[in-house]
Amino acid sequence: MLDDLITQDAGLRMVPVDRDALTVRVGRLRQELAALPQEAEPGRARVLSRWIGVGYLCLGHHEEARTYLRRSLALAWALGDTRAVVATGINLADSYRYDGDGSAAEALYRSALDTARDRVPELVDFALQHTGKHLMEHGDLTGAEALLRETLALRIAKGDGELIASTRAALARLRRLTGQ
């Protein structure tokens, strides 16, 4: 929904490609969400809430991001959509990390990673990558390296070049931080 308007900065955080265009798109998604019949389409409301939250996250509006991401997460739980629980939990963790609350971020990343390992193995690499970037930002470079190497192995096994490149970029950043 917003992938074409989001990129990563040098710190590997999601940022807008075009801030104005992302702001407009998030506004449209909010209008679509507001127009949904009450409780008639919880799946669509979940998806829209998540993407609005991600958009606000990228725009630096962390409190707004958390409002929508919490709504999406609650809907994912209510719908029994464990895949969405993991993905949205990671986005919510990102909102805390980007806002400087490492403790809240860590708890959410660990919960998402545990859930992925137990119930959604296809998302383990996603959870590992984000948890690894969190650890890197908070100075646990050894822990970050272990998680990112595990991520890389999983992504190589998946054969997804874009995901492999993303993890290699994170490992390259880690090497720069450690002076290697």
Side-chain angles (χ1 to χ4, degrees):
M1 282 191 176
L2 300 175
D3 290 335
D4 60 317
L5 295 173
I6 298 172
T7 190
Q8 289 189 351
D9 65 9
L12 304 177
R13 288 182 173 203
M14 295 182 293
V15 295
V17 170
D18 179 331
R19 186 172 189 80
D20 293 336
L22 182 58
T23 300
V24 167
R25 183 91 54 89
V26 168
R28 286 188 194 134
L29 294 176
R30 285 186 61 187
Q31 289 173 343
E32 184 180 342
L33 179 62
L36 286 178
Q38 193 75 327
E39 302 299 322
E41 298 184 52
R44 184 69 180 155
R46 181 200 61 76
V47 170
L48 290 169
S49 295
R50 179 176 178 222
W51 282 107
I52 293 165
V54 169
Y56 277 136
L57 172 64
C58 295
L59 291 166
H61 303 297
H62 305 295
E63 206 47 55
E64 292 92 339
R66 285 191 286 273
T67 296
Y68 284 95
L69 291 168
R70 283 185 198 110
R71 178 179 180 186
S72 181
L73 188 58
L75 287 167
W77 278 112
L79 293 166
D81 188 341
T82 309
R83 191 176 201 296
V85 166
V86 170
T88 306
I90 290 168
N91 297 141
L92 184 58
D94 285 344
S95 76
Y96 283 102
R97 176 169 58 106
Y98 289 21
D99 201 22
D101 188 342
S103 298
E106 175 107 14
L108 287 162
Y109 286 127
R110 295 295 178 177
S111 175
L113 180 56
D114 290 346
T115 302
R117 286 190 192 280
D118 290 343
R119 300 182 54 203
V120 195
E122 68 272 16
L123 291 182
V124 169
D125 63 309
F126 180 55
L128 285 166
Q129 174 96 356
H130 283 258
T131 307
K133 290 193 301 186
H134 165 73
L135 293 177
M136 185 180 353
E137 281 188 19
H138 285 84
D140 181 357
L141 303 183
T142 302
E145 182 176 13
L147 295 183
L148 291 170
R149 289 198 179 285
E150 184 179 352
T151 305
L152 183 60
L154 290 170
R155 289 181 168 183
I156 288 171
K158 279 185 175 181
D160 186 319
E162 189 174 320
L163 294 177
I164 293 166
S166 174
T167 304
R168 286 190 172 142
L171 285 164
R173 178 162 170 68
L174 181 66
R175 282 191 297 277
R176 286 191 300 278
L177 291 173
T178 60
Q180 297 177 0

